[in-house]
Amino acid sequence: MARFPLVPTAPEPERALLVGVEWRDAEWPVDRSLDELERLVDTAGAHTVARLSQRLQTPNPRTFIGSGKVEELCSMAHRLSIDVIVFDDDLTPSQQTNLERAVGEPIKIIDRTALILDIFGLHAQTREGRLQVQLAQLQYLLPRLRGMWSHLAKEQTRGGIGSRFGQGESQLEVDRRLIRNRISTLKRELKDVDRRRKVQSKERVASPAYRVALAGYTNAGKSTLLNMLTGSDVLAEDKLFATLDPTTRAYRLPGGREVTLTDTVGFIQKLPHGLVDAFRSTLSEVREADLILNVVDASDEDAMRHIRAVNRVLDEIGAGEVPTLVVFNKIDCVDEEGRRVLYRHNPEAIMCSARTGEGISLLVERISDEASASDVLLDVTIPFSQGRLVKVLHGQGTLLSEEYVSEGYHIIAKVSRRVASRFAPFVIEEE
């Protein structure tokens, strides 16, 4: 037995109370929305102790929920020793301030947007990702500064020594100016990053490779699917928003054609607009793709809602017109009846399991079909001095015939229009 008992030093997880509202004609039932909120809270490192919900037609302008519910909220929070209260919907700065006054310190009041921003802050790894999260966090914080300095503003009303300096408003304005300056700096830095990304994007556009983007609801298994297809080791965890930064890997289809697969940040219902705007350059990987795989967790009872939520974000970022294929992942966790239901709603979808490999061959075949759907027939003679172009045709097209002639390589192949445009000078004109 140890002479000195071991004392745990790990901090105790915060105790959270979730608050949701059941709206009329809401697409998501309040219980299902709070289930997702609980997973977000868990991802942020807190522990959900209790839930509270109310049916409303419109939010209360002062406290979001009704006055009676606020009293119940205060009672529960103190009785259960709650550290943080998380609202499933966005709160205005004044609503947040009024709720904080009603509940009292040290209990924190946050909303869904603040929670998601906190999670993004924990998971951002690259410089661009950290800049984007910082920008979204500061833009969220700026209108909420007044409530944070209200204790100093109160000092002004007491009179006496020190009251003539206006310290509350002065500190508020100083902080506002500092945050605005920081926001401007972040926007400039992100513009530089975006400029470099556009240069890289132009190189990818010029590249003949067919581009496939993996989009979808968070935790649908996009990273696991990328790893299964390409043999890479991209981080794949059973957590919401485990992947924030896009990762691109090359992949060669069975016919020899090269494609690129890009894993992107997961989407979620009520995704904060500030985050969508901040991550717009990152999401350009989705907009510029030739094909989007909308990866869906087939085992989730909200799978259909997930598809609609992802489609809304795709429309919002300007990717609504890109060809999209629904891919039901984790199909190994679904019984036959569940599969029939999914197929009935999405007969064109592919069902697979990135964990077991089931259906992966069908997915690859479908990607091959999509990649060759708009191919054109190319009949060219390439000079021997341009042998590197022959390699392009081998990697990016389907060769029908190849022979050596006196002028060079005579090749007939099926290729995409983008690839065909590079060979215009070598096309054999019909007599």
Side-chain angles (χ1 to χ4, degrees), residues 158-399:
R158 297 182 182 179
I161 297 174
S163 64
R164 292 179 289 275
F165 294 96
Q167 66 269 43
E169 283 302 310
S170 297
Q171 184 64 62
L172 177 63
E173 289 306 316
V174 167
D175 280 5
R176 278 179 174 165
R177 184 171 65 253
L178 290 173
I179 288 181
R180 288 195 185 103
N181 289 342
R182 181 58 180 157
I183 287 174
S184 299
T185 301
L186 288 171
K187 285 182 176 179
R188 284 196 300 270
E189 292 184 44
L190 280 171
K191 278 185 179 179
D192 291 337
V193 174
D194 190 35
R195 196 176 298 116
R196 290 193 293 272
R197 181 181 289 278
K198 284 179 179 177
V199 171
Q200 297 169 350
S201 177
K202 286 180 181 178
E203 293 174 353
R204 283 193 298 272
V205 170
S207 168
Y210 187 80
R211 294 161 298 173
V212 181
L214 279 66
Y217 215 75
T218 182
N219 205 45
K222 298 182 295 298
S223 298
T224 306
L225 184 59
L226 180 71
N227 291 339
M228 161 65 77
L229 289 169
T230 64
S232 54
D233 57 352
V234 175
L235 175 66
E237 291 186 308
D238 186 19
K239 287 186 177 181
L240 304 184
F241 300 117
T243 302
L244 293 187
D245 304 299
T247 303
T248 301
R249 295 288 184 270
Y251 178 65
R252 189 176 293 275
L253 295 170
R257 187 172 194 157
E258 292 181 359
V259 300
T260 61
L261 298 172
T262 301
D263 184 20
T264 62
V265 61
F267 302 151
I268 199 169
Q269 63 137 342
K270 304 178 186 177
L271 189 65
H273 289 287
L275 269 180
V276 174
D277 290 337
F279 276 74
R280 197 167 289 276
S281 62
T282 299
L283 293 172
S284 65
E285 302 286 348
V286 180
R287 290 198 305 273
E288 295 165 2
D290 297 303
L291 174 68
I292 296 173
L293 302 184
N294 183 350
V295 184
V296 185
D297 182 352
S299 64
D300 196 304
E301 62 181 278
D302 291 319
M304 297 301 116
R305 295 190 182 99
H306 291 177
I307 294 174
R308 291 191 290 270
V310 170
N311 288 338
R312 278 195 293 270
V313 178
L314 291 177
D315 287 336
E316 189 174 348
I317 65 173
E321 299 302 317
V322 179
T324 301
L325 172 64
V326 174
V327 178
F328 285 112
N329 189 26
K330 307 183 185 181
I331 201 65
D332 54 305
C333 301
V334 181
D335 59 21
E336 287 301 321
E337 176 59 27
R339 295 186 184 204
R340 282 194 290 270
V341 172
L342 293 174
Y343 180 78
R344 193 158 55 243
H345 284 94
N346 294 269
E348 298 297 320
I350 295 293
M351 299 187 185
C352 67
S353 169
R355 188 176 67 86
T356 66
E358 178 186 353
I360 294 296
S361 59
L362 292 176
L363 174 60
V364 172
E365 182 180 338
R366 184 65 176 274
I367 294 174
S368 298
D369 292 343
E370 293 292 335
S372 60
S374 59
D375 280 357
V376 296
L377 190 65
L378 189 67
D379 189 350
V380 292
T381 299
I382 301 173
F384 290 116
S385 61
Q386 301 288 329
R388 59 185 177 80
L389 292 178
V390 176
K391 187 177 181 180
V392 171
L393 287 178
H394 277 269
Q396 299 302 325
T398 303
L399 266 62

Side-chain angles (χ1 to χ4, degrees), residues 83-103:
D83 299 302
V84 57
I85 297 173
V86 187
F87 278 74
D88 193 34
D89 295 275
D90 286 346
L91 300 173
T92 65
S94 62
Q95 288 170 342
Q96 185 173 349
T97 300
N98 292 331
L99 286 166
E100 287 171 344
R101 287 173 181 163
V103 175

